[in-house]
Amino acid sequence: RRALLVDVGTAKGRSSMPKKGVKRPLGAPPTNEELSAYSETELLYKSNLFRLSTAELIKEVVPPQSSQLEVAVRALRGEILSLPPAELSWEDRGIGKPPLVSHAELSGLRLANHKVSLPWAPPEHVELIGSYLLRTVVRPSLDVDVAVRIPRACLLSKDYLDHRYVDKRQLYLAHLGAQLAKPSAATAATAAATAAT
């Protein structure tokens, strides 16, 4: 019994169930891998049926690794970094009147300050974050989280006061979203690669 526990510790956390289709002669003693798998089932799962249902569930929810999705994410990153700079402004004109905006996509925003302006520039960094990066995303919905870092040139040192940073962040993201929603060659390539997955 003690020797079996030592074998479980050397399995390095991976499943070592006997491979299907491999035939052993009748009466042959079990291999070290089989003994390790049997003791792992006995100690961790308490029943072989639970182990099998867990293995099947994992097969169903783990998405396949797709190089097409990786290509789409790289194309999206390239498109974000190649967006042109712009001057954004938003000004509240009072109750019942729409705000005065420099770009149409900013008209739906409700900001805390009376007047906000932002010299928009492409992000400093575009990075994958979240469950897809860690390979812990599950099916059926495949979500890819992307973080963008606002360049220092877009912000001032006192923007932490009076919700100015929050307002500028809203302006920045609204303009970024509107630019990405516009059709372009890179967007078409990204959509085609994503649709193929």
Side-chain angles (χ1 to χ4, degrees):
R1 178 100 176 139
R2 187 166 279 184
L4 291 178
L5 292 176
V6 171
D7 286 343
V8 170
T10 61
K12 296 183 183 174
R14 59 188 164 167
S15 177
S16 55
M17 287 296 290
K19 295 177 182 164
K20 292 182 181 178
V22 175
K23 297 207 176 199
R24 291 187 311 137
L26 286 175
T31 64
N32 284 340
E33 287 181 359
E34 291 172 336
L35 285 175
S36 176
Y38 296 145
S39 63
E40 183 180 310
T41 300
E42 179 185 352
L43 295 173
L44 299 177
Y45 297 99
K46 303 295 183 201
S47 101
N48 194 28
L49 181 61
F50 182 65
R51 180 187 181 115
L52 291 173
S53 29
T54 304
E56 285 299 315
L57 179 65
I58 289 173
K59 284 180 193 173
E60 288 179 14
V61 297
V62 173
Q65 297 303 319
S66 170
S67 62
Q68 294 169 338
L69 185 59
E70 298 288 335
V71 169
V73 169
R74 283 192 198 102
L76 175 66
R77 181 183 185 279
E79 185 172 342
I80 289 173
L81 292 175
S82 68
L83 291 173
E87 285 294 325
L88 307 179
S89 65
W90 183 94
E91 184 176 352
D92 188 13
R93 294 193 300 172
I95 298 174
K97 296 180 183 176
L100 183 63
V101 295
S102 61
H103 293 74
E105 67 265 9
L106 306 178
S107 61
L109 297 177
R110 296 291 167 244
L111 305 180
N113 290 293
H114 177 69
K115 185 175 183 179
V116 181
S117 62
L118 175 73
W120 196 93
E124 285 181 350
H125 296 287
V126 178
E127 300 170 357
L128 272 180
I129 60 170
S131 58
Y132 182 78
L133 177 66
L134 300 173
R135 305 288 189 225
T136 56
V137 66
V138 295
R139 285 190 284 192
S141 65
L142 183 61
D143 297 326
V144 178
D145 301 319
V146 178
V148 295
R149 185 180 302 166
I150 300 174
R152 292 181 190 267
C154 295
L155 303 172
L156 302 173
S157 62
K158 297 287 185 173
D159 279 343
Y160 67 92
L161 298 172
D162 299 329
H163 303 286
R164 281 184 273 182
Y165 171 75
V166 176
D167 289 346
K168 286 187 175 186
R169 183 179 63 188
Q170 284 186 14
L171 283 177
Y172 191 90
L173 292 175
H175 184 69
L176 177 64
Q179 292 299 312
L180 291 176
K182 290 180 181 176
S184 69
T187 306
T190 303
T194 306
T197 56

